[in-house]
Amino acid sequence: MSVVTDGPEVLEPEHTLPKVELQPAPWQLQASAYVLAVRMPEDVLDTAAFVPPSLEGKRCGHTAYVLFVDYRQANCGPYRELLVAPAVYDFGEGHYPSVTRIFVSTYDSVVNGRINWGLPKDRAEFTVERGEDRVDTVRVSRDGHVFADMRFKPYGLTFPVTSALLPAGLRTLMQHWQGKSYRFTLSAKGMLRMAKLVEWKFDPAMFPDLARGKVLMAGYFPNFDMTFPVATVRELNS
């Protein structure tokens, strides 16, 4: 079931964003996170995943990756984040995932994320409730309009993981933003538990309707360290 209402418009244009202190890459961050892999219907991926025109028709596969992250420490200060990378895309120089919708809780993160990595960040309000039944509820809204309502429950043993075990191609993102291409390879290490998706609802006018997909995997990172490196940036027409 989806939350269906007339939500506000996104993205906020550059000239309306407040002035913030710039924090160039690289960034060192500490956080907790829920990470899910979701097999999505083609019509959502092709028409309702907020894919930029430069990547239309270049999708490879049907698996979206969804993250809710609570950054306790970051170069721009603590913030929360909800993002989706709907698929892997053919960039000509290789196949890489790309984030097409991402909301964060501070303008410091919005501005720096756009400048440093071409991430199409927009600001929203986040509410997180830790239930006595060990179910975490996350709601994301703008101007009182809730467009993402999610509940997760971690379970099982906790074990260490590191991105160093993955090939660089599996942890490299490419973004198209304002006529430029951004490429960067993430690195992280931390602790992981399995998790269960209890329920989620979305307003498809604001965020891809993940409730139409099938969850393939869900994990909870109670703590991890991540490095966002300097991106390789070039003009799209070069």
Side-chain angles (χ1 to χ4, degrees):
M1 180 179 179
S2 301
V3 180
V4 181
T5 58
D6 293 326
E9 294 294 326
V10 290
L11 289 160
E12 292 185 63
E14 298 288 326
H15 70 271
T16 68
L17 297 178
K19 299 293 184 181
V20 303
E21 183 177 354
L22 298 184
Q23 301 286 347
W27 281 17
Q28 304 294 328
L29 309 100
Q30 295 181 356
S32 60
Y34 283 98
V35 181
L36 299 95
V38 187
R39 184 173 179 84
M40 294 297 298
E42 288 193 357
D43 65 305
V44 175
L45 295 175
D46 292 337
T47 66
F50 302 90
V51 177
S54 59
L55 294 181
E56 290 179 354
K58 297 182 180 180
R59 176 178 59 83
C60 306
H62 300 80
T63 302
Y65 291 94
V66 187
L67 284 76
F68 163 68
V69 191
D70 192 345
Y71 290 105
R72 296 185 293 268
Q73 295 185 31
N75 294 53
C76 67
Y79 67 97
R80 288 168 170 165
E81 174 179 271
L82 174 66
L83 70 82
V84 60
V88 169
Y89 297 89
D90 183 357
F91 286 89
E93 60 194 84
H95 293 181
Y96 302 101
S98 188
V99 175
T100 63
R101 180 57 94 226
I102 174 170
F103 288 93
V104 294
S105 59
T106 70
Y107 278 115
D108 293 86
S109 179
V110 169
V111 173
N112 283 284
R114 293 184 184 189
I115 292 173
N116 289 336
W117 302 286
L119 291 165
K121 291 188 176 184
D122 214 344
R123 199 190 71 83
E125 294 81 41
F126 287 71
T127 302
V128 180
E129 300 174 0
R130 310 290 185 181
E132 294 182 0
D133 54 359
R134 298 184 181 179
V135 173
D136 292 338
T137 299
V138 180
R139 295 186 179 93
V140 189
S141 62
R142 290 189 69 179
D143 302 322
H145 167 70
V146 177
F147 61 85
D149 189 345
M150 305 166 286
R151 288 196 285 279
F152 309 102
K153 184 173 184 177
Y155 67 89
L157 300 176
T158 303
F159 52 92
V161 292
T162 174
S163 61
L165 299 176
L166 298 173
L170 295 181
R171 48 191 173 90
T172 297
L173 296 176
M174 285 196 71
Q175 300 293 135
H176 285 177
W177 176 254
Q178 295 188 340
K180 295 180 180 180
S181 172
Y182 296 73
R183 176 177 173 176
F184 51 98
T185 301
L186 304 172
S187 60
K189 62 180 180 179
M191 305 301 292
L192 173 65
R193 298 178 69 188
M194 300 308 295
K196 176 184 178 181
L197 171 66
V198 178
E199 183 183 17
W200 57 8
K201 304 175 185 177
F202 300 92
D203 176 355
M206 296 289 291
F207 202 83
D209 191 1
L210 303 170
R212 292 192 53 200
K214 177 182 179 181
V215 175
L216 304 177
M217 179 280 296
Y220 173 61
F221 293 83
N223 56 75
F224 68 92
D225 298 323
M226 174 175 282
T227 300
F228 265 73
V230 176
T232 300
V233 184
R234 63 175 178 81
E235 299 293 329
L236 278 179
N237 295 327
S238 64

